[in-house]
Amino acid sequence: MKITNITNNENVQQLIAHCDRDSFISVNGHIFPAAFEPYIQRIQEFEVFEDDIWVCSFLKSGTTWTQEMVWCLENNLDYKTSREVDLDERMVFFEFSAVVNKNVQKQVPDSIEQAKQAKRPRIIKSHLPYDLLPKQLAEKQPRIIHISRNIRDVCVSLFHHHRLYEKFRASFELMAKLFVRGVMIYYGPIDLYLESFYKGNHDKNRILFLTYEGMKKDQKREILRVNTFLGHEISNNALDTLSEHLSFDNFKNTPSLNKERCMKLIDKISAVSKREGLFIRKGIVGDWKSYFNDELIKEFNDLSERIKENIGIEYNLE
């Protein structure tokens, strides 16, 4: 494990100038706030069970959508509980305590301990690259469901996420340029993250790879893929009902899914009087077209080509 303080890096200094974090580290090449470091050993040594299900993704890639699908399939399509209990309470965000700002960190439960104590079979969400996940994943080989999304839409969604959660104050253009350079508040660079899952030295038969674009194109087909991967059966009527439950309109209007209650808590802790948008925004493919100029299109095309050549993944941008 290689850990380096990168706070004085020129690009990182630009990031610091426009957010509420003041120091950063690189962990095996992945960027995190320095407050992440004390958690690394606990994360690496976390006990994994064979019946765990891990929902993994880079930030803003369709994670919440995938989480709810998996939870419903694993819990006999219990929509009553889904409506009454927030998704964040039904499924632990593994490294949440390690990446939130210090004010929030002091006032929320320890997420790694929550994951440890969760009832089996556990469903655990994480945005960590594969090489920073618990070492026992390689030995115990639990099922992993991974979702990715085209990097342009990830960047746009991450921009709004940073404004919402991190008081990010720079322009989208600066955010996008830092994104291409691999500099973001956590988890970047995205190409290194994707490489850790698609090319890492692990059994990929235990990983089901989804894409946001594939989910948007044919949600029922992807539900069936996940359902088969989990070893369940589902009737056509139940499939129709679940597909409707996972619709964007239902997500946006359901408090247990749209993170509205979570956001109110964070607003209170962070003393935010006016919030910069909502967690659930548009849920579309191609929103990047409203944000990108020709220069950014070229830079992201270059990054996309490197990703395609390195790991063989290409996304529908329409």
Side-chain angles (χ1 to χ4, degrees), residues 10-137:
E10 180 180 349
N11 290 316
V12 173
Q13 281 293 307
Q14 289 189 66
L15 183 64
I16 290 172
H18 296 96
C19 72
D20 282 356
R21 307 297 184 112
D22 57 11
S23 56
F24 287 85
I25 58 173
S26 168
V27 186
N28 287 358
H30 308 281
I31 293 179
F32 290 93
F36 179 75
E37 186 169 1
Y39 291 85
I40 294 174
Q41 184 174 357
R42 291 180 60 204
I43 289 171
Q44 289 279 284
E45 296 179 355
F46 182 80
E47 184 176 13
V48 174
F49 299 108
E50 291 179 0
D51 60 355
D52 285 345
I53 301 169
W54 289 71
V55 176
C56 298
S57 70
F58 193 82
L59 203 65
K60 312 311 295 180
S61 296
T63 326
T64 306
W65 194 8
T66 309
Q67 285 178 261
E68 181 65 9
M69 182 206 305
V70 172
W71 187 90
C72 287
L73 290 172
E74 280 292 297
N75 287 275
N76 299 310
L77 306 178
D78 183 0
Y79 300 122
K80 182 177 184 295
T81 299
S82 170
R83 289 190 295 270
E84 293 175 353
V85 182
D86 282 5
L87 180 57
D88 288 331
E89 294 179 37
R90 291 182 276 126
M91 184 185 299
V92 178
F93 178 5
F94 180 54
E95 73 275 7
F96 180 75
S97 299
V99 297
V100 293
N101 68 53
K102 293 177 182 178
N103 290 334
V104 176
Q105 195 177 66
K106 293 174 183 176
Q107 299 190 53
V108 297
D110 185 307
S111 59
I112 299 172
E113 184 63 26
Q114 283 184 306
K116 179 181 178 181
Q117 299 298 332
K119 182 180 177 181
R120 295 176 61 184
R122 306 177 302 189
I123 309 175
I124 302 173
K125 159 191 167 180
S126 179
H127 295 307
L128 291 171
Y130 190 91
D131 54 308
L132 298 189
L133 285 169
K135 290 184 288 187
Q136 284 193 8
L137 257 72

Side-chain angles (χ1 to χ4, degrees), residues 168-186:
F168 188 74
R169 298 175 291 274
S171 66
F172 172 75
E173 184 174 1
L174 176 58
M175 159 81 186
K177 286 183 177 295
L178 292 175
F179 184 99
V180 168
R181 297 167 193 163
V183 176
M184 51 201 79
I185 295 175
Y186 18 59

Side-chain angles (χ1 to χ4, degrees), residues 154-251:
V154 169
C155 182
V156 170
S157 191
L158 189 61
F159 171 68
H160 291 283
H161 177 92
H162 282 351
R163 288 171 66 86
L164 191 62
Y165 282 96
E166 300 290 347
K167 300 181 182 178
F168 188 74
R169 298 175 291 274
S171 66
F172 172 75
E173 184 174 1
L174 176 58
M175 159 81 186
K177 286 183 177 295
L178 292 175
F179 184 99
V180 168
R181 297 167 193 163
V183 176
M184 51 201 79
I185 295 175
Y186 18 59
Y187 304 113
I190 193 168
D191 51 335
L192 186 61
Y193 169 89
L194 290 170
E195 182 180 329
S196 76
F197 275 91
Y198 280 87
K199 291 190 72 175
N201 185 25
H202 46 266
D203 183 1
K204 296 174 186 62
N205 292 322
R206 301 292 294 176
I207 304 177
L208 178 65
F209 290 101
L210 307 175
T211 68
Y212 186 94
E213 292 74 25
M215 292 265 286
K216 291 294 290 186
K217 183 177 181 180
D218 193 338
Q219 181 173 252
K220 290 182 181 179
R221 178 194 64 198
E222 298 305 279
I223 291 172
L224 290 172
R225 288 183 64 213
V226 173
N227 193 60
T228 300
F229 184 71
L230 296 176
H232 301 311
E233 295 182 357
I234 189 169
S235 68
N236 288 334
N237 287 339
L239 177 62
D240 290 342
T241 303
L242 178 56
S243 187
E244 178 60 30
H245 176 72
L246 295 173
S247 69
F248 178 78
D249 286 343
N250 186 56
F251 259 74

Side-chain angles (χ1 to χ4, degrees), residues 250-268:
N250 186 56
F251 259 74
K252 190 148 191 172
N253 296 313
T254 304
S256 63
L257 300 176
N258 64 21
K259 297 187 183 285
E260 185 63 20
R261 289 191 281 253
C262 174
M263 288 308 308
K264 287 180 179 178
L265 173 62
I266 291 176
D267 288 349
K268 183 178 179 181

